[in-house]
Amino acid sequence: MRVEECVKKLKSKGIIDSREIYIYASLKNIIGGMFGSIRGLVLLCIYEDVLYIYRANIDNSYGERLAKIYIPNMKNIQGKAGLFGGKFSFNYEGQEYKFKLPSKAGKFVDFFVK
């Protein structure tokens, strides 16, 4: 799936808003709890004040929603974007989330740390 097609689909389903803040990332830890153990590629999307986490595929498509996180309730948010990739982490409802980001993650990281 082309990136433009994916963005259009995400907008039409109310997963991202007009700001188009999203990024594909890989998990540095395991998301546990009601989702079971999830590791691998994910899609992080911002819609208004919600961060959605979806299972992602290498072809830019995405699968099931793994988490719906209310951004105002996120704690200990840390992010860094760089030429060779970056990282993003936070705590939410007692769970720690850690992601490894690709290069060009500045827009996503800036949303949280600026």
Side-chain angles (χ1 to χ4, degrees):
M1 177 181 292
R2 293 172 45 107
V3 174
E4 297 82 13
E5 293 171 14
C6 187
V7 169
K8 187 176 181 180
K9 184 177 177 182
L10 292 169
K11 280 184 177 179
S12 71
K13 292 190 173 201
I15 297 171
I16 61 172
D17 56 27
S18 61
R19 298 172 292 180
E20 296 185 7
I21 301 173
Y22 68 94
I23 195 152
Y24 287 87
S26 57
L27 287 169
K28 290 181 82 173
N29 64 339
I30 296 175
I31 297 177
M34 63 187 246
F35 307 112
S37 292
I38 305 297
R39 184 181 285 256
L41 192 62
V42 293
L43 173 64
L44 307 174
C45 303
I46 307 293
Y47 185 84
E48 296 177 353
D49 67 342
V50 177
L51 170 66
Y52 291 104
I53 303 174
Y54 285 88
R55 184 183 305 273
N57 302 313
I58 197 74
D59 67 352
N60 292 330
S61 64
Y62 63 95
E64 69 179 302
R65 185 175 78 192
L66 303 174
K68 179 179 180 179
I69 296 171
Y70 293 95
I71 294 169
N73 297 337
M74 293 168 59
K75 307 286 186 222
N76 195 27
I77 300 170
Q78 298 178 6
K80 181 181 176 184
L83 182 62
F84 299 106
K87 55 187 175 179
F88 176 65
S89 64
F90 62 90
N91 294 325
Y92 183 77
E93 294 184 350
Q95 175 76 35
E96 183 178 33
Y97 295 83
K98 291 184 179 182
F99 303 93
K100 182 178 179 188
L101 304 177
S103 60
K104 300 182 182 180
K107 182 178 179 180
F108 183 85
V109 171
D110 289 348
F111 176 82
F112 288 98
V113 297
K114 295 227 175 190

Coordinates of all heavy atoms in Angstrom, one line a residue, residues 26-83:
S26 N 9.0 0.5 15.9 CA 9.1 -0.9 16.4 C 9.1 -0.8 17.9 O 9.6 0.2 18.5 CB 10.4 -1.6 15.9 OG 11.5 -0.8 16.2
L27 N 8.5 -1.8 18.5 CA 8.5 -1.9 20.0 C 9.8 -2.2 20.6 O 10.5 -3.2 20.1 CB 7.4 -2.9 20.4 CG 6.0 -2.5 20.2 CD1 5.1 -3.7 20.5 CD2 5.6 -1.4 21.2
K28 N 10.2 -1.5 21.6 CA 11.4 -1.9 22.3 C 11.1 -2.8 23.5 O 12.0 -3.5 24.0 CB 12.2 -0.7 22.8 CG 12.8 0.2 21.7 CD 13.5 1.4 22.3 CE 14.9 1.0 22.7 NZ 15.7 2.2 23.1
N29 N 9.8 -2.9 23.9 CA 9.4 -3.8 24.9 C 8.1 -4.5 24.5 O 7.7 -4.3 23.4 CB 9.2 -3.0 26.3 CG 8.1 -2.0 26.2 OD1 7.7 -1.6 25.1 ND2 7.5 -1.6 27.3
I30 N 7.6 -5.2 25.4 CA 6.3 -5.9 25.1 C 5.1 -5.2 25.7 O 5.2 -4.8 26.8 CB 6.4 -7.4 25.6 CG1 7.6 -8.1 24.9 CG2 5.1 -8.1 25.4 CD1 7.8 -9.5 25.5
I31 N 4.1 -5.0 24.8 CA 2.8 -4.5 25.4 C 2.1 -5.7 25.9 O 1.8 -6.6 25.2 CB 2.0 -3.8 24.3 CG1 2.8 -2.5 23.8 CG2 0.6 -3.4 24.8 CD1 2.0 -1.8 22.6
G32 N 1.8 -5.7 27.2 CA 1.1 -6.8 27.8 C -0.3 -6.5 28.1 O -0.9 -5.5 27.6
G33 N -0.9 -7.2 29.0 CA -2.2 -6.9 29.5 C -3.3 -7.5 28.6 O -3.1 -8.7 28.2
M34 N -4.4 -6.8 28.4 CA -5.5 -7.4 27.7 C -5.2 -7.7 26.2 O -6.0 -8.4 25.6 CB -6.7 -6.5 27.8 CG -6.6 -5.2 27.2 SD -8.0 -4.1 27.6 CE -8.7 -4.0 26.0
F35 N -4.1 -7.2 25.7 CA -3.8 -7.4 24.3 C -2.9 -8.7 24.1 O -2.6 -9.0 23.0 CB -3.0 -6.2 23.7 CG -3.7 -4.9 23.9 CD1 -3.2 -4.0 24.8 CD2 -4.9 -4.7 23.3 CE1 -3.9 -2.8 25.0 CE2 -5.6 -3.5 23.5 CZ -5.1 -2.6 24.3
G36 N -2.5 -9.3 25.2 CA -1.6 -10.4 25.1 C -0.2 -9.8 24.9 O 0.0 -8.6 25.2
S37 N 0.8 -10.5 24.5 CA 2.1 -10.0 24.3 C 2.3 -9.6 22.9 O 2.2 -10.5 22.0 CB 3.1 -11.1 24.7 OG 3.1 -11.3 26.1
I38 N 2.6 -8.4 22.6 CA 2.8 -7.9 21.3 C 4.2 -7.3 21.2 O 4.7 -6.6 22.0 CB 1.8 -6.7 21.0 CG1 0.4 -7.1 21.3 CG2 2.0 -6.2 19.6 CD1 -0.2 -8.2 20.4
R39 N 4.9 -7.7 20.1 CA 6.2 -7.2 19.8 C 6.3 -7.1 18.3 O 5.8 -7.8 17.6 CB 7.3 -8.2 20.3 CG 8.7 -7.7 20.2 CD 9.7 -8.8 20.7 NE 9.7 -8.8 22.1 CZ 10.6 -8.3 22.9 NH1 11.7 -7.7 22.3 NH2 10.6 -8.3 24.2
G40 N 7.0 -6.1 17.9 CA 7.3 -5.9 16.4 C 6.9 -4.5 16.0 O 7.0 -3.5 16.7
L41 N 6.4 -4.4 14.7 CA 6.2 -3.2 14.1 C 4.8 -2.7 14.4 O 3.8 -3.4 14.4 CB 6.3 -3.4 12.5 CG 6.3 -2.1 11.7 CD1 7.5 -1.3 12.0 CD2 6.3 -2.6 10.2
V42 N 4.7 -1.4 14.7 CA 3.4 -0.8 15.1 C 3.2 0.6 14.4 O 4.2 1.2 13.9 CB 3.3 -0.5 16.6 CG1 3.2 -1.8 17.4 CG2 4.4 0.4 17.1
L43 N 2.0 1.0 14.3 CA 1.7 2.3 13.7 C 1.2 3.2 14.9 O 0.2 2.8 15.5 CB 0.6 2.2 12.6 CG 0.0 3.5 12.1 CD1 1.1 4.3 11.4 CD2 -1.1 3.1 11.1
L44 N 1.8 4.3 15.1 CA 1.4 5.3 16.1 C 0.7 6.4 15.5 O 1.3 7.1 14.6 CB 2.6 5.8 16.9 CG 3.5 4.7 17.5 CD1 4.7 5.4 18.2 CD2 2.8 3.9 18.5
C45 N -0.6 6.7 15.8 CA -1.4 7.7 15.2 C -2.0 8.7 16.2 O -2.4 8.2 17.3 CB -2.5 7.1 14.4 SG -2.1 5.9 13.2
I46 N -2.0 10.0 15.9 CA -2.6 11.0 16.8 C -3.9 11.5 16.1 O -3.9 11.9 15.0 CB -1.7 12.2 16.9 CG1 -0.3 11.8 17.4 CG2 -2.3 13.2 17.8 CD1 -0.2 11.3 18.8
Y47 N -5.0 11.4 16.9 CA -6.3 12.0 16.5 C -6.8 12.8 17.7 O -7.1 12.3 18.7 CB -7.3 11.0 16.1 CG -8.6 11.6 15.6 CD1 -8.7 11.9 14.2 CD2 -9.7 11.8 16.4 CE1 -9.8 12.5 13.7 CE2 -10.8 12.4 15.9 CZ -10.9 12.8 14.6 OH -12.0 13.4 14.1
E48 N -6.8 14.1 17.5 CA -7.1 15.1 18.6 C -6.3 14.8 19.8 O -5.1 15.0 19.8 CB -8.6 15.1 18.8 CG -9.4 15.5 17.6 CD -10.9 15.4 17.8 OE1 -11.4 14.9 18.8 OE2 -11.6 15.9 16.9
D49 N -6.8 14.3 20.9 CA -6.0 14.1 22.1 C -5.9 12.6 22.4 O -5.7 12.2 23.6 CB -6.6 14.8 23.3 CG -8.0 14.3 23.7 OD1 -8.6 13.6 22.9 OD2 -8.4 14.5 24.9
V50 N -5.9 11.8 21.4 CA -5.8 10.3 21.5 C -4.6 9.8 20.7 O -4.4 10.2 19.6 CB -7.1 9.6 21.1 CG1 -6.9 8.1 21.2 CG2 -8.2 10.1 22.0
L51 N -3.8 8.9 21.3 CA -2.8 8.2 20.6 C -3.3 6.8 20.4 O -3.6 6.1 21.3 CB -1.5 8.2 21.4 CG -0.4 7.2 20.9 CD1 0.2 7.7 19.6 CD2 0.8 7.1 21.9
Y52 N -3.4 6.4 19.1 CA -3.8 5.0 18.8 C -2.5 4.2 18.4 O -1.6 4.7 17.7 CB -4.7 5.0 17.6 CG -6.1 5.6 17.8 CD1 -6.4 6.9 17.4 CD2 -7.0 4.8 18.5 CE1 -7.7 7.4 17.7 CE2 -8.3 5.4 18.8 CZ -8.6 6.6 18.3 OH -9.8 7.1 18.6
I53 N -2.5 3.0 18.8 CA -1.4 2.1 18.5 C -2.0 0.9 17.7 O -2.9 0.2 18.3 CB -0.6 1.6 19.7 CG1 -0.1 2.7 20.5 CG2 0.5 0.6 19.3 CD1 0.6 2.3 21.8
Y54 N -1.6 0.7 16.5 CA -2.1 -0.4 15.6 C -0.9 -1.3 15.3 O 0.2 -0.9 15.2 CB -2.6 0.2 14.3 CG -4.0 0.8 14.5 CD1 -4.1 2.2 14.8 CD2 -5.1 0.1 14.3 CE1 -5.3 2.8 14.9 CE2 -6.4 0.7 14.4 CZ -6.5 2.0 14.7 OH -7.7 2.6 14.9
R55 N -1.2 -2.6 15.1 CA -0.3 -3.5 14.6 C 0.0 -3.1 13.1 O -0.9 -2.7 12.4 CB -0.8 -4.9 14.6 CG 0.2 -6.0 14.1 CD -0.5 -7.4 14.1 NE -1.1 -7.8 15.3 CZ -0.4 -8.4 16.3 NH1 0.9 -8.6 16.2 NH2 -1.0 -8.7 17.4
A56 N 1.3 -3.0 12.7 CA 1.6 -2.6 11.4 C 2.3 -3.6 10.6 O 2.9 -4.6 11.1 CB 2.5 -1.3 11.5
N57 N 2.2 -3.5 9.3 CA 2.9 -4.4 8.3 C 3.9 -3.7 7.5 O 3.9 -2.4 7.4 CB 1.8 -5.0 7.4 CG 0.7 -5.7 8.1 OD1 1.0 -6.5 9.0 ND2 -0.5 -5.4 7.8
I58 N 4.9 -4.4 7.0 CA 6.0 -3.8 6.3 C 5.6 -3.1 5.0 O 6.2 -2.2 4.5 CB 7.1 -4.9 6.0 CG1 8.4 -4.2 5.7 CG2 6.6 -5.8 5.0 CD1 9.1 -3.6 6.8
D59 N 4.4 -3.4 4.5 CA 3.9 -2.8 3.3 C 3.1 -1.5 3.5 O 2.3 -1.1 2.6 CB 3.1 -3.8 2.5 CG 1.8 -4.1 3.1 OD1 1.5 -3.8 4.3 OD2 0.9 -4.8 2.5
N60 N 3.2 -0.9 4.7 CA 2.5 0.4 5.1 C 1.1 0.2 5.4 O 0.4 1.1 5.7 CB 2.6 1.5 4.0 CG 4.0 2.0 3.8 OD1 4.8 2.0 4.8 ND2 4.4 2.4 2.6
S61 N 0.6 -1.1 5.4 CA -0.8 -1.3 5.9 C -0.8 -1.5 7.4 O 0.3 -1.6 8.0 CB -1.4 -2.5 5.1 OG -0.6 -3.7 5.5
Y62 N -1.9 -1.6 8.0 CA -2.0 -1.8 9.4 C -3.1 -2.8 9.7 O -4.0 -3.0 8.9 CB -2.2 -0.5 10.1 CG -3.5 0.2 9.8 CD1 -4.6 0.1 10.6 CD2 -3.6 1.0 8.6 CE1 -5.8 0.7 10.3 CE2 -4.8 1.6 8.3 CZ -5.9 1.5 9.1 OH -7.1 2.1 8.8
G63 N -3.1 -3.3 10.9 CA -4.0 -4.3 11.3 C -4.8 -3.9 12.5 O -5.3 -2.7 12.6
E64 N -5.0 -4.8 13.5 CA -5.8 -4.5 14.7 C -5.3 -3.4 15.5 O -4.1 -3.1 15.6 CB -6.0 -5.8 15.5 CG -4.7 -6.2 16.2 CD -4.8 -7.5 17.0 OE1 -5.7 -7.5 17.9 OE2 -4.1 -8.4 16.8
R65 N -6.2 -2.7 16.2 CA -5.9 -1.7 17.2 C -5.4 -2.4 18.4 O -6.1 -3.2 19.0 CB -7.0 -0.8 17.4 CG -6.6 0.4 18.3 CD -7.7 1.4 18.5 NE -8.6 0.9 19.5 CZ -9.8 1.4 19.8 NH1 -10.3 2.4 19.1 NH2 -10.6 0.8 20.7
L66 N -4.2 -2.0 18.9 CA -3.7 -2.6 20.1 C -3.9 -1.7 21.3 O -4.0 -2.2 22.4 CB -2.2 -2.7 19.9 CG -1.7 -3.6 18.8 CD1 -0.2 -3.6 18.6 CD2 -2.2 -5.0 18.9
A67 N -4.1 -0.4 21.2 CA -4.3 0.5 22.3 C -4.9 1.8 21.9 O -4.6 2.3 20.8 CB -2.9 0.7 23.0
K68 N -5.7 2.4 22.8 CA -6.2 3.7 22.6 C -5.8 4.5 23.9 O -6.3 4.1 25.0 CB -7.7 3.7 22.5 CG -8.4 5.0 22.4 CD -9.9 4.9 22.2 CE -10.5 6.3 22.1 NZ -12.0 6.2 21.9
I69 N -4.9 5.5 23.7 CA -4.3 6.1 24.9 C -4.6 7.6 24.9 O -4.4 8.3 23.9 CB -2.8 5.9 24.9 CG1 -2.5 4.4 25.0 CG2 -2.1 6.7 25.9 CD1 -1.1 4.0 24.8
Y70 N -5.2 8.1 26.0 CA -5.6 9.5 26.1 C -4.3 10.3 26.5 O -3.7 10.1 27.5 CB -6.7 9.7 27.1 CG -8.0 9.1 26.6 CD1 -8.3 7.8 27.0 CD2 -8.8 9.8 25.7 CE1 -9.5 7.2 26.5 CE2 -9.9 9.2 25.2 CZ -10.3 7.9 25.6 OH -11.4 7.4 25.1
I71 N -3.9 11.1 25.5 CA -2.6 11.8 25.7 C -2.5 12.7 27.0 O -1.5 12.6 27.6 CB -2.4 12.7 24.4 CG1 -2.2 11.8 23.2 CG2 -1.1 13.6 24.6 CD1 -2.2 12.5 21.9
P72 N -3.6 13.4 27.4 CA -3.4 14.1 28.7 C -3.1 13.2 29.9 O -2.6 13.7 30.9 CB -4.8 14.8 28.8 CG -5.4 14.8 27.5 CD -4.8 13.6 26.8
N73 N -3.4 11.9 29.8 CA -3.1 11.0 30.9 C -1.8 10.3 30.8 O -1.4 9.5 31.7 CB -4.2 10.0 31.0 CG -5.6 10.6 31.3 OD1 -5.7 11.7 31.8 ND2 -6.7 9.9 30.9
M74 N -1.0 10.6 29.8 CA 0.3 10.0 29.6 C 1.3 10.6 30.6 O 1.2 11.8 30.8 CB 0.8 10.1 28.2 CG 0.0 9.3 27.2 SD 0.4 9.8 25.4 CE 2.1 9.5 25.3
K75 N 2.2 9.9 31.2 CA 3.2 10.3 32.1 C 4.6 10.0 31.6 O 4.8 9.1 30.9 CB 3.0 9.7 33.5 CG 1.6 9.7 34.1 CD 1.3 11.1 34.6 CE -0.1 11.1 35.3 NZ -0.9 12.2 35.0
N76 N 5.5 10.8 32.1 CA 6.9 10.6 31.9 C 7.2 10.4 30.4 O 7.9 9.5 29.9 CB 7.4 9.4 32.6 CG 9.0 9.3 32.7 OD1 9.6 10.3 32.6 ND2 9.5 8.1 32.8
I77 N 6.7 11.4 29.6 CA 6.9 11.3 28.1 C 8.3 11.7 27.8 O 8.8 12.8 28.2 CB 5.9 12.2 27.4 CG1 4.5 11.8 27.7 CG2 6.1 12.2 25.9 CD1 3.4 12.8 27.3
Q78 N 9.0 10.9 27.0 CA 10.3 11.2 26.5 C 10.4 10.8 25.1 O 9.9 9.8 24.6 CB 11.4 10.4 27.3 CG 11.4 10.7 28.8 CD 12.4 9.9 29.6 OE1 13.2 9.2 29.0 NE2 12.4 10.0 30.9
G79 N 11.1 11.7 24.3 CA 11.3 11.4 22.9 C 12.5 12.1 22.3 O 12.9 13.1 22.8
K80 N 13.1 11.5 21.3 CA 14.3 12.0 20.7 C 14.2 11.6 19.2 O 14.0 10.4 19.0 CB 15.5 11.5 21.4 CG 16.8 12.0 20.8 CD 18.0 11.5 21.5 CE 19.3 11.9 20.8 NZ 20.5 11.3 21.3
A81 N 14.4 12.5 18.3 CA 14.5 12.2 16.9 C 15.9 12.5 16.4 O 16.5 13.4 16.9 CB 13.5 13.0 16.1
G82 N 16.3 11.7 15.5 CA 17.7 11.9 15.0 C 17.8 11.4 13.6 O 17.0 10.7 13.0
L83 N 19.0 11.7 13.1 CA 19.3 11.3 11.7 C 19.2 9.8 11.5 O 18.8 9.3 10.4 CB 20.6 11.9 11.3 CG 21.1 11.6 9.9 CD1 20.2 12.3 8.9 CD2 22.5 12.2 9.7

